[in-house]
Amino acid sequence: VQLVESGGGLVQAGGSLRLSCAGSGFYPNDYVIGWLRQAPGKEREAVSCITNSDGTTWYSDSVKGRFTISSDNAKNTVYLQMNSLKPEDTAVYYCAAVSLYLTTVPPRSKSDYDWWGQGTQVTVSS
């Protein structure tokens, strides 16, 4: 399993970014893909996930209504559209994967995931 994130960058508060997570080495319908983030000095927290087999999504309260997760199974790619960004969204964003058959859904903790990308930095200026 390999995951590669892209799309991070610097944006002003109120702006938007779209992150991509390109996967390889696994069949997408067998996995749950999540986005987690880690700000300096803070624990890594889950913000969203999607069950590829049926499209079920989950969002943390901190991003609900602002972020949208989606997937293109033909490309084995998951996206995180981030709108109305706030300075507190600044963090390294990671995509992660876990087998649908080895986890409860939705996986809400970093310990629930088995495979990780390298992370992409998102910085929101005020």
Side-chain angles (χ1 to χ4, degrees):
V1 174
Q2 187 173 13
L3 303 168
V4 179
E5 302 99 332
S6 62
L10 173 65
V11 64
Q12 289 187 332
S16 299
L17 282 174
R18 189 176 81 154
L19 305 183
S20 299
C21 173
S24 60
F26 63 97
Y27 182 57
N29 278 0
D30 287 340
Y31 281 76
V32 179
I33 306 298
W35 285 98
L36 300 90
R37 66 186 182 186
Q38 188 165 18
K42 294 189 176 181
E43 290 290 316
R44 192 171 300 186
E45 62 169 348
V47 297
S48 184
C49 69
I50 186 166
T51 304
N52 283 327
S53 60
D54 63 7
T56 302
T57 59
W58 170 84
Y59 300 93
S60 68
D61 288 343
S62 62
V63 307
K64 196 175 296 182
R66 300 188 298 122
F67 291 11
T68 303
I69 192 170
S70 61
S71 66
D72 183 338
N73 286 356
K75 296 181 179 180
N76 204 351
T77 300
V78 171
Y79 305 98
L80 186 68
Q81 178 67 44
M82 306 186 295
N83 298 329
S84 302
L85 283 162
K86 305 174 182 180
E88 50 264 44
D89 294 317
T90 295
V92 177
Y93 282 72
Y94 298 89
C95 71
V98 59
S99 170
L100 176 61
Y101 311 108
L102 298 177
T103 187
T104 56
V105 180
R108 303 187 186 189
S109 169
K110 63 180 181 180
S111 62
D112 292 331
Y113 290 93
D114 294 323
W115 307 97
W116 294 84
Q118 82 286 353
T120 185
Q121 176 70 46
V122 171
T123 303
V124 185
S125 63
S126 58

